[in-house]
Amino acid sequence: MSKRDFLSIPDFTADELHSLLDLAGRMKSGAYRERPLTGKTLAMVFAKSSTRTRVSFEVGTLQLGGHALFLSSRDIQLGRGEPIRDTARVLSRMVDGIMIRTFAHADVEELARFATIPVINGLTDLLHPCQILADLLTTLEAFGTLKGKTVAWIGDGNNMCNSWLNAAGVLGFELRVACPQGYEPDRGIFERNAALTSLLVTGDPEEAVAGAHVVTTDVWASMGQEAEAAQRAEAFQGYLVDEALMRRADPKAIFLHCLPAHRGEEVTEAVLEGPQSRVWDEAENRLHVQKALMAMLMG
Ligand code: CP
Ligand code: NVA
């Protein structure tokens, strides 16, 4: 069988995503005790900072019997201009899987094209599919199902938002995005998924959260957009997730944030630390879903 990659949510079918989330749940509960990565190595290439992604993949590999290599692109030859396609072929001769976090999504696609081992997207400017796996698991823990659930995305139409759109399309739940003009999600991703499920893009956060089961947001300036931070802070006025906005959602609604969060910008302290927040479970779930993903691709 040829190798499988995980560059975006639609790389997996709905059935495969459900199997992955089920396996992650069994790993979390302790019911799963296998070590399918015994003797195997994951190369983790980072061109951007990370806490959760780095720690979840490294600890996850270890718990499954394998070993992880942290490769900052500043320190490997990639950062000095060695081509991605050469890095892909060299790593493929030595390790069993590659997880990469970088800027251009096309770079990850090129890495996957030239690698003969599974490649996992640990975040690009376009997508963050690994985080969405954790968000889906956290949503399932809260509601038992995704069927009939509505997710409201408030803020930037960024990599997280694009991956939520993909998840909604593959799994068939409703997603409403509230964002300022000029900060909409990727048009192609929106259109592909709008053909599969109910999607809305609005400039009104209250319209997006009305009766929603999941309310979620992210920073206004992602990694690589630091120079635009002031201009973005202005554009995103009115997109703060606060208790008043949460009251418009379903009474049992949960709040998710991939973290790191900027308290007082995209979300208030009261919501982030409040009774509806599941952000710490969501962060922990990175470990369980990353393990399930590696077991499926590299095990
Ligand atoms: N949510 C997330 O991907 O966090 P890190 O940037 O810390 O990996
Ligand atoms: N949208 C954020 C997510 C960080 C995990 C970023 O790309 O910086």
Side-chain angles (χ1 to χ4, degrees):
M1 214 185 89
S2 62
K3 61 118 178 183
R4 291 281 305 272
D5 301 311
F6 183 66
L7 307 192
S8 70
I9 292 283
D11 285 351
F12 283 12
T13 64
D15 283 350
E16 287 171 330
L17 287 174
H18 283 298
S19 302
L20 186 154
L21 295 169
D22 185 62
L23 178 59
R26 284 190 288 127
M27 287 172 163
K28 184 172 185 175
S29 73
Y32 178 98
R33 309 204 137 271
E34 291 163 49
R35 292 164 70 83
L37 299 192
T38 300
K40 297 193 175 181
T41 302
L42 175 76
M44 308 190 300
V45 180
F46 282 95
K48 291 175 175 171
S49 303
S50 173
T51 300
R52 282 141 287 264
T53 304
R54 177 177 175 179
V55 175
S56 60
F57 273 101
E58 183 158 345
V59 172
T61 307
L62 180 78
Q63 290 181 0
L64 294 176
H67 179 76
L69 292 175
F70 173 71
L71 304 173
S72 160
S73 66
R74 276 185 296 278
D75 302 322
I76 60 173
Q77 298 287 8
L78 186 64
R80 293 182 56 249
E82 183 170 19
I84 287 169
R85 55 185 65 189
D86 296 3
T87 306
R89 286 171 288 184
V90 172
L91 289 176
S92 294
R93 302 287 178 113
M94 298 190 197
V95 304
D96 304 282
I98 305 170
M99 191 281 296
I100 179 167
R101 166 171 288 195
T102 191
F103 294 86
H105 191 72
D107 287 351
V108 178
E109 291 177 332
E110 180 169 340
L111 184 79
R113 214 164 35 248
F114 283 87
T116 55
I117 55 176
V119 171
I120 296 170
N121 176 4
L123 180 149
T124 62
D125 292 343
L126 186 68
L127 297 173
H128 194 5
C130 285
Q131 178 67 49
I132 294 300
L133 296 177
D135 295 11
L136 293 171
L137 180 60
T138 312
T139 304
L140 280 174
E141 288 173 342
F143 300 108
T145 179
L146 296 163
K147 259 206 190 77
K149 299 300 168 219
T150 299
V151 176
W153 176 270
I154 309 299
D156 192 15
N158 63 11
N159 44 11
M160 279 295 301
C161 180
N162 289 332
S163 288
W164 267 114
L165 289 169
N166 279 334
V170 175
L171 295 171
F173 56 84
E174 183 180 351
L175 179 68
R176 305 190 205 127
V177 175
C179 59
Q181 219 175 7
Y183 296 93
E184 292 88 358
D186 182 85
R187 179 174 279 274
I189 293 175
F190 176 82
E191 281 172 3
R192 272 196 299 284
N193 292 295
L196 302 171
T197 192
S198 168
L199 300 181
L200 171 80
V201 176
T202 171
D204 179 3
E206 293 185 359
E207 183 184 11
V209 301
H213 303 94
V214 177
V215 178
T216 183
T217 186
D218 189 11
V219 292
W220 293 338
S222 284
M223 290 181 278
Q225 297 172 333
E226 289 78 5
E228 297 170 32
Q231 175 198 330
R232 284 173 165 268
E234 205 165 306
F236 285 97
Q237 287 311 308
Y239 288 83
L240 169 76
V241 178
D242 59 11
E243 287 170 300
L245 191 65
M246 287 301 294
R247 275 196 290 275
R248 295 183 172 265
D250 185 273
K252 292 205 167 72
I254 60 169
F255 172 75
L256 298 180
H257 191 309
C258 65
L259 305 177
H262 291 173
R263 290 166 166 82
E265 283 186 34
E266 73 274 7
V267 59
T268 59
E269 170 89 6
V271 170
L272 190 76
E273 301 285 1
Q276 288 170 286
S277 174
R278 294 287 180 281
V279 300
W280 314 117
D281 292 331
E282 180 186 7
E284 178 192 330
N285 285 340
R286 288 298 300 277
L287 173 64
H288 309 298
V289 298
Q290 265 44 127
K291 285 170 68 179
L293 178 64
M294 289 191 286
M296 283 175 69
L297 295 181
M298 295 166 61

